[in-house]
């Protein structure tokens, strides 16, 4: 089966965007892949996460989230 992380962090510092994940509650975040360089300038931008249940009888919901500047 596919395991989904219980926590995801998306961080942008300058032009570098990185993602870190924790697979279990209480586990420390660890890098997920290689950071990427994006030239977004000073423009406003949005970040989104797609969630899919693969079950048409189930609706997935986020129950905890936080945004930090």
């Amino acid at each position: 089966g596919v395991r989904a992380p219980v926590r995801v962090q998306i961080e942008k510092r300058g032009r570098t965007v990185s993602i870190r994940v924790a697979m279990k509650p209480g586990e420390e975040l660890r890098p997920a892949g290689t950071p990427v360089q994006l030239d977004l300038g000073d423009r406003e931008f949005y970040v989104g996460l797609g969630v899919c249940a693969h079950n048409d009888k189930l609706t997935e919901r986020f129950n905890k989230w936080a945004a930090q500047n």
Side-chain angles (χ1 to χ4, degrees):
V2 175
R3 289 183 46 216
V6 297
R7 200 167 55 159
V8 177
Q9 177 188 60
I10 302 171
E11 180 178 46
K12 178 184 173 290
R13 289 186 182 228
R15 293 183 54 225
T16 303
V17 178
S18 58
I19 298 174
R20 299 184 334 146
V21 298
M23 300 305 289
K24 299 176 185 173
E27 183 178 78
E28 286 191 37
L29 291 164
R30 65 174 199 265
T34 304
V36 296
Q37 300 290 313
L38 296 177
D39 187 12
L40 301 171
D42 292 333
R43 297 180 302 256
E44 187 173 289
F45 67 95
Y46 298 90
V47 175
L49 296 175
V51 177
C52 180
H54 296 286
N55 178 342
D56 63 359
K57 309 246 185 299
L58 179 66
T59 300
E60 291 287 355
R61 297 176 191 264
F62 288 106
N63 62 1
K64 295 181 182 176
W65 64 275
Q68 297 175 332
N69 276 339

